[in-house]
Amino acid sequence: MSILEILVWPDKRLEIEATPIAEVTAEVRQLGTDLIETMYAAQGIGLAATQVDRHIRMIAVDLNGGEPEDRDPALGPYVMINPQITEREGTIVFEEGCLSVPGETGEVERSAWIAVDFTGPDGTEYQMEAEGLLSVCIQHEIDHLDGIVFPERLKSHERARIRRAMRQYKPA
Ligand code: NI
Protein backbone atom coordinates (compact mmCIF):
# COMPACT_ATOMS: atom_id res chain seq x y z
CA MET A 1 0.00 0.00 0.00
CA SER A 2 1.21 3.48 -0.63
CA ILE A 3 0.09 7.03 -0.20
CA LEU A 4 0.11 8.78 -3.56
CA GLU A 5 0.72 12.43 -4.42
CA ILE A 6 -2.46 14.40 -5.12
CA LEU A 7 -2.38 16.88 -8.01
CA VAL A 8 -3.41 20.45 -7.17
CA TRP A 9 -5.77 22.45 -9.42
CA PRO A 10 -5.24 24.04 -11.95
CA ASP A 11 -2.66 21.35 -12.84
CA LYS A 12 -3.34 20.51 -16.51
CA ARG A 13 -3.17 16.77 -15.78
CA LEU A 14 -6.50 17.15 -13.92
CA GLU A 15 -8.09 17.92 -17.33
CA ILE A 16 -7.20 14.54 -18.85
CA GLU A 17 -10.24 12.38 -19.57
CA ALA A 18 -9.84 8.94 -17.96
CA THR A 19 -10.18 5.80 -20.05
CA PRO A 20 -12.45 2.85 -19.13
CA ILE A 21 -10.88 -0.10 -17.30
CA ALA A 22 -11.12 -3.19 -19.52
CA GLU A 23 -10.18 -5.76 -16.89
CA VAL A 24 -9.91 -5.76 -13.09
CA THR A 25 -6.31 -6.88 -12.70
CA ALA A 26 -4.21 -7.08 -9.53
CA GLU A 27 -2.71 -3.73 -10.52
CA VAL A 28 -6.18 -2.15 -10.75
CA ARG A 29 -7.12 -3.57 -7.33
CA GLN A 30 -3.87 -2.20 -5.91
CA LEU A 31 -4.70 1.27 -7.18
CA GLY A 32 -8.11 0.99 -5.48
CA THR A 33 -6.39 0.19 -2.17
CA ASP A 34 -3.93 3.05 -2.64
CA LEU A 35 -6.76 5.48 -3.48
CA ILE A 36 -8.56 4.59 -0.25
CA GLU A 37 -5.38 4.90 1.79
CA THR A 38 -4.44 8.22 0.16
CA MET A 39 -7.97 9.55 0.72
CA TYR A 40 -7.90 8.61 4.43
CA ALA A 41 -4.42 10.12 4.89
CA ALA A 42 -5.68 13.39 3.40
CA GLN A 43 -8.92 13.20 5.45
CA GLY A 44 -11.08 13.34 2.34
CA ILE A 45 -14.42 11.65 1.55
CA GLY A 46 -13.70 10.97 -2.11
CA LEU A 47 -10.77 10.61 -4.49
CA ALA A 48 -10.55 9.88 -8.20
CA ALA A 49 -7.64 8.11 -9.95
CA THR A 50 -7.21 11.27 -12.07
CA GLN A 51 -6.19 13.17 -8.92
CA VAL A 52 -3.19 10.86 -8.41
CA ASP A 53 -2.23 11.17 -12.09
CA ARG A 54 -3.64 7.75 -13.09
CA HIS A 55 -6.04 8.32 -15.96
CA ILE A 56 -8.31 5.30 -15.67
CA ARG A 57 -11.95 5.29 -14.56
CA MET A 58 -11.81 4.51 -10.86
CA ILE A 59 -13.01 6.44 -7.80
CA ALA A 60 -12.96 5.92 -4.04
CA VAL A 61 -15.71 7.22 -1.74
CA ASP A 62 -16.19 6.98 2.02
CA LEU A 63 -18.46 9.40 3.87
CA ASN A 64 -17.69 7.81 7.24
CA GLY A 65 -15.72 10.05 9.54
CA GLY A 66 -15.00 9.91 13.22
CA GLU A 67 -14.69 6.75 15.27
CA PRO A 68 -14.49 3.28 13.70
CA GLU A 69 -17.48 1.99 15.73
CA ASP A 70 -19.75 4.63 14.18
CA ARG A 71 -19.05 3.43 10.66
CA ASP A 72 -22.08 2.91 8.42
CA PRO A 73 -21.30 0.44 5.59
CA ALA A 74 -23.89 2.18 3.39
CA LEU A 75 -21.64 5.27 3.42
CA GLY A 76 -18.53 3.41 2.27
CA PRO A 77 -15.81 2.69 1.67
CA TYR A 78 -16.57 2.17 -2.02
CA VAL A 79 -14.12 1.58 -4.82
CA MET A 80 -16.03 2.12 -8.06
CA ILE A 81 -14.57 1.01 -11.38
CA ASN A 82 -16.13 2.47 -14.55
CA PRO A 83 -18.89 4.26 -12.60
CA GLN A 84 -21.71 5.40 -14.82
CA ILE A 85 -24.78 7.43 -13.85
CA THR A 86 -27.82 5.85 -15.52
CA GLU A 87 -30.61 7.96 -14.00
CA ARG A 88 -30.84 11.28 -12.18
CA GLU A 89 -33.58 13.31 -10.53
CA GLY A 90 -33.97 16.70 -8.85
CA THR A 91 -31.33 19.22 -7.92
CA ILE A 92 -29.24 19.84 -4.82
CA VAL A 93 -26.82 22.66 -4.04
CA PHE A 94 -23.95 21.72 -1.77
CA GLU A 95 -20.83 23.55 -0.64
CA GLU A 96 -18.09 21.35 -2.06
CA GLY A 97 -14.41 21.06 -1.36
CA CYS A 98 -11.79 18.90 -3.04
CA LEU A 99 -8.43 17.38 -2.09
CA SER A 100 -7.06 18.93 -5.32
CA VAL A 101 -8.30 22.40 -4.27
CA PRO A 102 -7.03 22.54 -0.67
CA GLY A 103 -8.66 25.05 1.63
CA GLU A 104 -11.27 26.32 -0.86
CA THR A 105 -14.97 25.57 -1.24
CA GLY A 106 -17.80 26.61 -3.53
CA GLU A 107 -21.51 25.95 -4.02
CA VAL A 108 -22.20 23.54 -6.86
CA GLU A 109 -25.59 22.45 -8.19
CA ARG A 110 -25.94 18.74 -8.96
CA SER A 111 -28.60 16.05 -9.24
CA ALA A 112 -30.22 15.25 -5.88
CA TRP A 113 -30.71 11.54 -6.64
CA ILE A 114 -28.76 9.28 -8.94
CA ALA A 115 -28.64 5.65 -9.98
CA VAL A 116 -25.12 4.48 -10.74
CA ASP A 117 -23.68 1.31 -12.27
CA PHE A 118 -20.12 0.30 -11.44
CA THR A 119 -17.77 -2.66 -11.16
CA GLY A 120 -16.26 -3.47 -7.75
CA PRO A 121 -12.64 -4.48 -7.12
CA ASP A 122 -13.95 -8.08 -6.93
CA GLY A 123 -15.07 -7.81 -10.57
CA THR A 124 -18.78 -7.87 -9.64
CA GLU A 125 -21.14 -5.41 -11.33
CA TYR A 126 -23.20 -3.32 -8.94
CA GLN A 127 -26.17 -0.99 -9.24
CA MET A 128 -26.67 1.60 -6.57
CA GLU A 129 -28.92 4.53 -5.76
CA ALA A 130 -27.64 7.54 -3.88
CA GLU A 131 -29.03 10.80 -2.59
CA GLY A 132 -27.77 13.73 -0.52
CA LEU A 133 -24.04 13.95 0.17
CA LEU A 134 -23.33 10.47 -1.24
CA SER A 135 -24.94 11.47 -4.54
CA VAL A 136 -22.98 14.75 -4.59
CA CYS A 137 -19.70 13.00 -3.81
CA ILE A 138 -20.10 10.37 -6.56
CA GLN A 139 -20.97 13.06 -9.13
CA HIS A 140 -17.96 15.16 -8.02
CA GLU A 141 -15.61 12.18 -8.39
CA ILE A 142 -17.00 11.16 -11.79
CA ASP A 143 -16.45 14.77 -12.87
CA HIS A 144 -12.74 14.24 -12.10
CA LEU A 145 -12.69 11.25 -14.48
CA ASP A 146 -14.10 13.56 -17.16
CA GLY A 147 -11.39 16.15 -16.45
CA ILE A 148 -13.66 18.54 -14.55
CA VAL A 149 -12.71 20.01 -11.14
CA PHE A 150 -15.43 21.77 -9.10
CA PRO A 151 -14.19 25.37 -9.69
CA GLU A 152 -15.07 24.80 -13.37
CA ARG A 153 -18.72 24.54 -12.25
CA LEU A 154 -18.68 27.89 -10.38
CA LYS A 155 -19.40 31.41 -11.63
CA SER A 156 -16.35 33.04 -13.28
CA HIS A 157 -15.61 35.43 -10.43
CA GLU A 158 -15.60 32.60 -7.87
CA ARG A 159 -13.37 30.49 -10.11
CA ALA A 160 -10.98 33.46 -10.46
CA ARG A 161 -10.88 33.89 -6.68
CA ILE A 162 -9.93 30.24 -6.16
CA ARG A 163 -7.38 30.44 -8.96
CA ARG A 164 -5.71 33.38 -7.16
CA ALA A 165 -5.79 31.48 -3.84
CA MET A 166 -4.14 28.43 -5.46
CA ARG A 167 -1.28 30.62 -6.74
CA GLN A 168 -0.44 31.34 -3.10
CA TYR A 169 -0.84 27.70 -2.08
CA LYS A 170 2.25 26.01 -0.64
CA PRO A 171 2.02 22.30 0.16
CA ALA A 172 2.57 21.53 3.85
NI1 NI B 1 -12.38 16.50 -5.94
Side-chain angles (χ1 to χ4, degrees):
M1 303 214 287
S2 31
I3 292 173
L4 307 172
E5 186 189 340
I6 299 174
L7 301 176
V8 174
W9 187 81
D11 192 307
K12 284 282 179 197
R13 290 170 288 179
L14 289 167
E15 296 174 18
I16 299 171
E17 191 179 340
T19 55
I21 294 171
E23 194 188 346
V24 183
T25 60
E27 191 190 358
V28 166
R29 277 194 298 275
Q30 182 61 52
L31 180 61
T33 305
D34 290 345
L35 277 184
I36 291 276
E37 195 184 2
T38 303
M39 175 178 74
Y40 288 161
Q43 297 185 302
I45 59 171
L47 188 64
T50 306
Q51 292 175 274
V52 295
D53 204 21
R54 293 290 307 276
H55 303 282
I56 56 175
R57 301 190 76 84
M58 181 192 294
I59 64 173
V61 171
D62 190 350
L63 301 191
N64 286 292
E67 299 306 312
E69 57 266 32
D70 296 333
R71 298 185 65 82
D72 176 354
L75 299 180
Y78 295 103
V79 171
M80 300 183 175
I81 294 165
N82 299 329
Q84 193 153 20
I85 295 169
T86 57
E87 286 178 83
R88 44 176 88 234
E89 210 170 281
T91 58
I92 185 172
V93 176
F94 196 85
E95 185 162 356
E96 297 186 15
C98 178
L99 293 176
S100 290
V101 193
E104 300 300 321
T105 60
E107 288 195 339
V108 181
E109 182 179 299
R110 301 197 186 268
S111 301
W113 174 93
I114 57 169
V116 58
D117 289 353
F118 64 96
T119 302
D122 58 355
T124 306
E125 287 175 29
Y126 294 93
Q127 292 182 310
M128 180 177 145
E129 294 174 25
E131 57 186 357
L133 181 56
L134 186 57
S135 164
V136 166
C137 189
I138 292 168
Q139 291 172 77
H140 175 119
E141 300 312 328
I142 292 176
D143 259 5
H144 278 301
L145 301 181
D146 293 329
I148 300 165
V149 186
F150 86 82
E152 312 291 349
R153 295 206 177 273
L154 303 177
K155 294 193 175 76
S156 323
H157 70 276
E158 281 187 79
R159 181 163 53 252
R161 178 186 59 76
I162 294 178
R163 204 179 279 277
R164 281 194 300 275
M166 286 301 109
R167 272 189 213 119
Q168 311 296 322
Y169 174 74
K170 296 273 188 298

